[in-house]
Amino acid sequence: MTIADHDMSSTAVESATTESRRARFLRRFRRQGWAIGALVFLVIVAISAIFAPWVAPHDPLSQSLTDSFAGPGSEYWLGADRLGRDTLSRLIFGARYSLLAAAQAVLVATVLGVPIGVIAGLARGKIDAVASLVADAVLSIPAIVLALAIIGVLRPNLTNAMIAIGIVYAPRLFRVVRSAAISVREETYIDAARASGVGMLTIARTHVIPNVLSPLLVQISLALGFAVLAEAGISFLGLGVQPPDASWGVILGQGTVKLEEQPLLILFPGAAILLTVLAFNVLGDGLNDSLGREIRRE
Amino acid sequence: MSSHASSAVDPVLQIEDLAVEFITEHGWLTVVDGVSFEVGRGETVGLIGESGCGKSVTAMAVLGLIEQRSGRVSRGCIRLDGRDLLALDSREMREIRGRKVAMVFQEPMTSIDPAFTVGNQMVEVLRRHLPMSRSQARQRSVELLDRVGITDPHRRIDSFPHELSGGMRQRVLIAMALSCEPDLLIADEPTTALDVTVQAQVLDLLAGLQAEMGMAVLLVTHDLGVVSETCERVIVMYAGEIVETASTDELFARPLHPYTAAMLASLPGLHPDEPLDPIPGIVPPRHALPPGCWFEPRCEHAIELCGSGHPTLVAVGGRSARCLRADDLRLPGVGS
Amino acid sequence: MLRLAARRLLKVIPLLLLVSFISFGLLNLVPGDPAVQIAGEFATEEQIEDIRAGLGLDRPWPVRYASWLGDAVRGDFGVSLFSKVSVATQIWDRLPATLSLIGLSLAISALIGVPAGTFAGWREGTVLDRFLTMGTTVGVAVPVFVAAPVLILIFGIKLDWLPATGYVPITANPIDWARSLMLPAIALALTGAAEIARQTRAGVIDVKKQDFVRTAHANGLATWQVLGKHTLKNAMIPVITVIGLQIGRLFGLSVLIEQIFNIPGLGSRLIAAVFENDVPFIQGTVLILGTVIVLVNAAVDISYGYFNPRVRAAA
């Protein structure tokens, strides 16, 4: 058997198992009622964020002092803030910042954590020891404190805040990817591939990455939840999105200042953050339950 | 019942028509069905069968621990010293367990709490059931450890379980079970996890303690060798039912049920040069029992009739067997 | 036990060095010339030089790191960029408020989480278990900066039971101290309580299937003995990890809580430092908190020995 034959047959086997794995995953995932609900919710939030100018009933920035602190009603479904801005419209536009910021942060975390995790898991030895120690050290520093420190050094703005959150979360992704890479490394077919002269890079691409994807998917869902939360916290403190732009955290922060006049101003952005974070967590758990057993078995 | 081979002269434990069910993916499945037997004071009775035959479940039912494992007793009666155990509520049952009926389990390695010392756990059991001060209970624990053959009990009492060998842990568990001098001791595969020399020591210990305390012992095991050394009577279970009861001597000399005979034939050590002869096939799963005799698919003596009607347990001269051919088969025993 | 402790503490050293290196390296994240960047656009040349000297930027970084670390080990973290007040003094002044907030909050989360989780695990599958499990799922996701305003609104403003904001030092008045910390501590404790409850539930469910629990039942022990003694002590082993992990998180979240409740702790000072670009203070805080967490984690691992005699033996 030539190497080309070997490659073709292994690819064929690979795609066959991927297919059945996907079918099994879908069958299991379909039974996860809560996770599906969470996914639907997130899709709705994302679509309204993308089409915000068409979905939102008002201009989120248009002020009307006569409507200051208006309660929910036919004009303002969720009421209005001190400047008479429509809360629902602000939340819909705020979703753009919150979700985009979260995606940025997770992208940073993925770019930092995943390649290093794959390398450390495959190479083991000193590279792994050093990378793991660095990850442990980063994880020793409380996430928010480290994020604030990075922002403090870089200057407070949304992009820097998301870089900071990405750096803080990277070791978590690193750990998951690393342990997945290690377990793949222990498999016999890796030895076989290496024996037949396949390079480490090819092994990483053809064997490790596909096997790392499932746990990574779970982690990314959880990471998005974390990032939405962290962005909200940082913007709440005034260190992220700068007004008049407003993410959910900014809206919540502004509501907190006027807590006594209109409690609803914290309730709705608070609910938006809570539900979104919860949805990412529930989705992550659902994915984990649908994927989990295969990961352990294979 | 009195003429039945499963009855005893001075019964401590009386089980009548016991049925136990568990919830499974196939719904409620009966795992023990129509089991009746007695164990008398000072008597050792062996309850024997392959794993999954319901012998351990029967033992757990006596202790009232079925509910903990999402099962239920669906029928029957369990009496200890004439008292109906199934009528007791859980608080009353907790006072019986450890005091009137005690149990020694198969896994000595995992059956003692790793987080507490041996003495701590023994004192706890003693003081739970008997009016004792802490120091009295500790003194009694040392005596018990000494009695079960643990050397240097004054030091061992402060050991953690992981500091003891498997054999020593089983001795500790026996000491714990016997600490309140129960009327009935149930020993579920007490020697299976131990190596051979320790097995014999533990069996001797149990026999000695029984002679001394005069309690009834129900020995649950899959090992006929253990039964032949310790039991006066034997109850053989298969697929949740009793298939044969007899005195140990009679059973070994002349088994009436082909299943018993097959188990005897698979005993190691009788013909050391010959390979072991395990019973072919598997116990039928509870949701797919054959229509006739449940052993029929594996039975080398089966005739056509065995596949149609489920046989009842029939008394045959002071013993009983659940086999249509109990009278006409001449099954080989183990000559003593 | 001592050997276990010694071995674990040895692993702490490289971690602490790395934490210090990260704290030190923060300065190098500053884009361009740190002195120019930090001084801001309207700074004079003199101010920039001043900052450059203050940060020691005129020397190569390994030299700077060595002297910075040497000073830090002796408790000298330099001075704040603009106020010139010693960073160490500021940290020690602010630490008591933060520590009392975290301590109280940890106690509250354990007092809620452990019983709730134990009950849910023991009565697994009952309506109450499902209710508690759902509560903890939501509880884990409730952000402190949402919980805090809600608590302030209900208990501080509408009911007026507790002070809405502010902090009274314990030395001034212990009762007012406790009252002033109650709302922030509860807000901070919610997530931790939910997390601890989840882990306790999982631990109890796992342990109650163990053979030794069956033995405890077979020996007729009372429910409180089986549950409260044998099940709980063994189930607590993983919970200790969670509680340990909580401490790190609490230090992080307390930043938000201190800001919301106007508590003069380390966190609210850190936020001010972030706005002011006060790099020395930021570095000192990261180093101190990172060190505290590394040591807490080591202490948690060592405390395993108490809960799990087998670990003690393995060392």
Side-chain angles (χ1 to χ4, degrees):
Chain A
M1 192 166 75
T2 66
I3 296 214
D5 280 346
H6 173 84
D7 266 352
M8 273 176 66
S9 60
S10 79
T11 322
V13 170
E14 195 88 314
S15 68
T17 54
T18 320
E19 197 53 45
S20 68
R21 213 189 283 177
R22 186 173 302 150
R24 221 179 331 169
F25 164 73
L26 284 175
R27 178 170 49 79
R28 282 202 197 126
F29 189 72
R30 241 176 274 142
R31 270 181 288 177
Q32 309 266 351
W34 285 102
I36 291 174
L39 185 62
V40 169
F41 173 80
L42 290 171
V43 167
I44 291 172
V45 172
I47 289 177
S48 4
I50 293 167
F51 299 103
W54 295 275
V55 177
H58 291 269
D59 178 347
L61 296 177
S62 88
Q63 306 180 1
S64 155
L65 289 178
T66 50
D67 295 322
S68 185
F69 299 128
S74 57
E75 180 67 19
Y76 303 110
W77 290 3
L78 301 181
D81 69 359
R82 185 174 59 91
L83 301 172
R85 293 178 292 194
D86 177 42
T87 301
L88 177 62
S89 304
R90 297 193 76 209
L91 285 177
I92 291 172
F93 276 89
R96 293 184 145 190
Y97 289 99
S98 292
L99 294 184
L100 204 62
Q104 270 179 21
V106 172
L107 188 69
V108 171
T110 309
V111 166
L112 284 175
V114 173
I116 303 181
V118 171
I119 292 167
L122 276 185
R124 303 306 304 269
K126 272 184 193 148
I127 299 176
D128 183 27
V130 170
S132 296
L133 199 63
V134 171
D136 285 352
V138 173
L139 287 173
S140 302
I141 302 163
I144 295 177
V145 171
L146 183 58
L148 287 178
I150 296 170
I151 295 165
V153 176
L154 290 179
R155 287 280 125 120
N157 67 45
L158 184 61
T159 306
N160 289 343
M162 291 308 104
I163 291 173
I165 294 169
I167 293 174
V168 166
Y169 206 86
R172 289 157 229 264
L173 290 186
F174 163 82
R175 280 191 171 176
V176 172
V177 171
R178 173 184 169 270
S179 64
I182 288 176
S183 65
V184 173
R185 189 181 189 265
E186 310 297 324
E187 298 289 337
T188 45
Y189 61 84
I190 294 287
D191 289 337
R194 218 184 298 166
S196 60
V198 181
M200 262 328 212
L201 209 68
T202 318
I203 292 176
R205 190 169 44 81
T206 55
H207 295 292
V208 180
I209 302 287
N211 279 288
V212 162
L213 277 180
S214 303
L216 191 62
L217 199 63
V218 175
Q219 281 307 310
I220 283 180
S221 183
L222 299 176
L224 283 168
F226 175 86
V228 167
L229 194 61
E231 186 282 326
I234 286 165
S235 292
F236 176 89
L237 293 171
L239 294 166
V241 177
Q242 300 299 322
D245 294 341
S247 71
W248 292 339
V250 173
I251 302 173
L252 183 72
Q254 291 168 347
T256 307
V257 179
K258 297 291 167 195
L259 193 57
E260 280 180 78
E261 285 88 343
Q262 182 50 280
L264 290 176
L265 288 178
I266 59 165
L267 192 70
F268 294 123
I273 297 166
L274 172 63
L275 289 176
T276 306
V277 173
L278 198 58
F280 277 122
N281 290 354
V282 169
L283 179 63
D285 287 347
L287 289 173
N288 192 35
D289 290 348
S290 316
L291 295 165
R293 251 169 264 164
E294 278 137 83
I295 295 161
R296 240 171 289 152
R297 201 184 302 149
E298 281 162 20
Chain B
M1 281 292 291
S2 58
S3 66
H4 213 269
S6 56
S7 63
V9 182
D10 179 12
V12 173
L13 175 70
Q14 297 165 287
I15 298 180
E16 268 169 49
D17 196 25
L18 178 73
V20 181
E21 310 178 318
F22 280 90
I23 187 83
T24 68
E25 55 187 308
H26 303 283
W28 284 96
L29 281 186
T30 305
V31 176
V32 166
D33 202 359
V35 165
S36 305
F37 65 87
E38 296 183 347
V39 184
R41 203 167 300 283
E43 187 185 29
T44 302
V45 172
L47 188 57
I48 191 160
E50 288 166 293
S51 66
C53 72
K55 58 190 192 301
S56 291
V57 172
T58 305
M60 296 303 273
V62 175
L63 278 163
L65 292 175
I66 292 292
E67 280 74 17
Q68 312 242 330
R69 315 190 139 196
S70 58
R72 63 184 183 202
V73 173
S74 54
R75 201 177 69 232
C77 177
I78 301 173
R79 268 192 290 271
L80 188 74
D81 299 320
R83 196 170 172 195
D84 184 1
L85 294 186
L86 296 177
L88 301 179
D89 66 25
S90 73
R91 175 187 290 268
E92 291 166 322
M93 198 58 218
R94 281 180 184 282
E95 279 159 17
I96 299 264
R97 284 202 293 267
R99 177 72 193 87
K100 296 286 181 195
V101 50
M103 187 149 175
V104 176
F105 294 97
Q106 179 177 354
E107 302 88 1
M109 302 310 278
T110 52
S111 290
I112 313 180
D113 189 339
F116 295 94
T117 62
V118 164
N120 181 314
Q121 299 181 61
M122 293 187 71
V123 166
E124 183 181 31
V125 175
L126 278 165
R127 298 195 64 203
R128 160 79 179 150
H129 295 295
L130 304 171
M132 278 189 179
S133 72
R134 195 167 290 277
S135 59
Q136 283 172 322
R138 193 181 156 85
Q139 183 53 42
R140 177 96 181 97
S141 301
V142 171
E143 288 164 20
L144 281 161
L145 288 178
D146 187 42
R147 179 63 196 87
V148 295
I150 286 183
T151 51
D152 202 1
H154 285 282
R155 199 167 59 82
R156 284 299 181 195
I157 194 168
D158 293 318
S159 300
F160 280 97
H162 69 263
E163 296 168 323
L164 305 177
S165 68
M168 286 222 265
R169 285 191 215 185
Q170 195 59 295
R171 285 167 194 270
V172 168
L173 282 163
I174 290 170
M176 224 185 265
L178 296 182
S179 59
C180 302
E181 304 194 349
D183 296 335
L184 172 68
L185 175 73
I186 301 176
D188 188 355
E189 308 272 10
T191 58
T192 306
L194 306 174
D195 61 50
V196 183
T197 46
V198 184
Q199 279 189 11
Q201 291 168 4
V202 169
L203 288 177
D204 284 348
L205 173 67
L206 277 175
L209 288 165
Q210 186 198 22
E212 193 179 306
M213 297 182 177
M215 67 204 163
V217 174
L218 180 63
L219 184 70
V220 180
T221 181
H222 69 282
D223 186 346
L224 274 170
V226 169
V227 167
S228 71
E229 284 165 37
T230 48
C231 300
E232 284 110 62
R233 283 191 299 123
V234 186
I235 295 155
V236 182
M237 284 185 75
Y238 184 79
E241 286 185 333
I242 294 179
V243 292
E244 180 163 7
T245 67
S247 72
T248 309
D249 292 342
E250 286 176 320
L251 188 94
F252 276 74
R254 191 191 160 231
L256 290 183
H257 197 285
Y259 176 62
T260 315
M263 282 213 295
L264 287 173
S266 68
L267 261 182
L270 294 174
H271 314 283
D273 304 330
E274 288 172 26
L276 288 182
D277 184 16
I279 310 170
I282 52 156
V283 182
R286 290 298 314 192
H287 61 272
L289 289 168
C293 169
W294 293 343
F295 187 60
E296 180 263 340
R298 300 171 73 184
C299 183
E300 57 185 39
H301 305 285
I303 54 175
E304 201 174 325
L305 199 57
C306 296
S308 51
H310 188 65
T312 51
L313 193 63
V314 181
V316 184
R319 42 198 292 208
S320 60
R322 192 186 292 275
C323 177
L324 292 175
R325 305 189 64 197
D327 284 327
D328 67 77
L329 280 177
R330 285 275 168 262
L331 297 167
V334 180
S336 48
Chain C
M1 190 73 193
L2 269 177
R3 272 174 61 196
L4 173 76
R7 194 175 298 189
R8 185 61 183 81
L9 284 175
L10 260 179
K11 285 192 200 154
V12 157
I13 294 167
L15 258 188
L16 284 182
L17 272 175
L18 261 175
V19 167
S20 75
F21 196 74
I22 292 171
S23 317
F24 172 78
L26 280 171
L27 185 59
N28 296 323
L29 278 180
V30 180
D33 182 343
V36 176
Q37 283 296 317
I38 289 169
E41 8 180 349
F42 306 111
T44 62
E45 194 60 35
E46 196 185 339
Q47 283 171 315
I48 293 173
E49 277 316 306
D50 198 29
I51 288 169
R52 198 188 306 279
L55 294 172
L57 287 172
D58 37 7
R59 292 174 293 165
W61 73 261
V63 179
R64 270 189 290 135
Y65 175 60
S67 78
W68 178 80
L69 186 61
D71 289 346
V73 169
R74 271 169 285 159
D76 176 7
F77 303 108
V79 294
S80 271
L81 266 192
F82 303 104
S83 68
K84 305 292 182 203
V85 180
S86 151
V87 169
T89 313
Q90 296 181 65
I91 291 179
W92 297 133
D93 285 352
R94 297 268 180 161
L95 211 47
T98 300
L99 288 181
S100 30
L101 172 63
I102 287 171
L104 192 62
S105 147
L106 205 58
I108 293 172
S109 48
L111 282 176
I112 298 173
V114 172
T118 307
F119 190 85
W122 193 247
R123 293 264 170 264
E124 184 192 358
T126 59
V127 176
L128 232 137
D129 170 37
R130 282 183 203 170
F131 179 76
L132 281 171
T133 305
M134 196 139 97
T136 56
T137 310
V138 176
V140 167
V142 175
V144 285
F145 47 86
V146 174
V150 171
L151 286 173
I152 291 178
L153 186 66
I154 297 172
F155 297 103
I157 297 173
K158 297 281 184 217
L159 297 172
D160 200 16
W161 287 353
L162 292 159
T165 57
Y167 173 72
V168 179
I170 191 168
T171 45
N173 184 336
I175 293 171
D176 284 351
W177 168 80
R179 279 172 52 85
S180 72
L181 278 182
M182 201 47 81
L183 280 183
I186 291 172
L188 193 52
L190 287 179
T191 313
E195 197 72 60
I196 290 172
R198 279 168 74 136
Q199 182 56 58
T200 307
R201 176 178 180 273
V204 166
I205 287 173
D206 179 46
V207 172
K208 75 177 186 184
K209 294 178 189 139
Q210 304 276 323
D211 289 338
F212 63 80
V213 171
R214 184 181 61 181
T215 307
H217 282 300
N219 284 331
L221 296 185
T223 308
W224 69 266
Q225 287 171 312
V226 180
L227 175 62
K229 183 177 169 181
H230 297 284
T231 308
L232 213 50
K233 187 168 173 188
N234 285 283
M236 273 302 117
I237 295 169
V239 174
I240 297 297
T241 323
V242 171
I243 293 179
L245 290 176
Q246 287 305 319
I247 294 175
R249 190 142 93 189
L250 290 179
F251 270 106
L253 293 177
S254 71
V255 173
L256 289 155
I257 290 288
E258 287 172 22
Q259 186 76 356
I260 296 169
F261 287 92
N262 203 8
I263 296 170
L266 203 51
S268 46
R269 177 69 189 83
L270 177 66
I271 290 171
V274 169
F275 275 115
E276 292 166 6
N277 237 231
D278 186 353
V279 176
F281 185 85
I282 294 173
Q283 287 180 310
T285 308
V286 169
L287 179 62
I288 283 284
L289 290 185
T291 306
V292 168
I293 305 301
V294 168
L295 293 178
V296 164
N297 288 345
V300 166
D301 285 356
I302 292 168
S303 77
Y304 265 29
Y306 167 72
F307 284 94
N308 191 346
R310 279 167 296 186
V311 172
R312 202 151 56 199

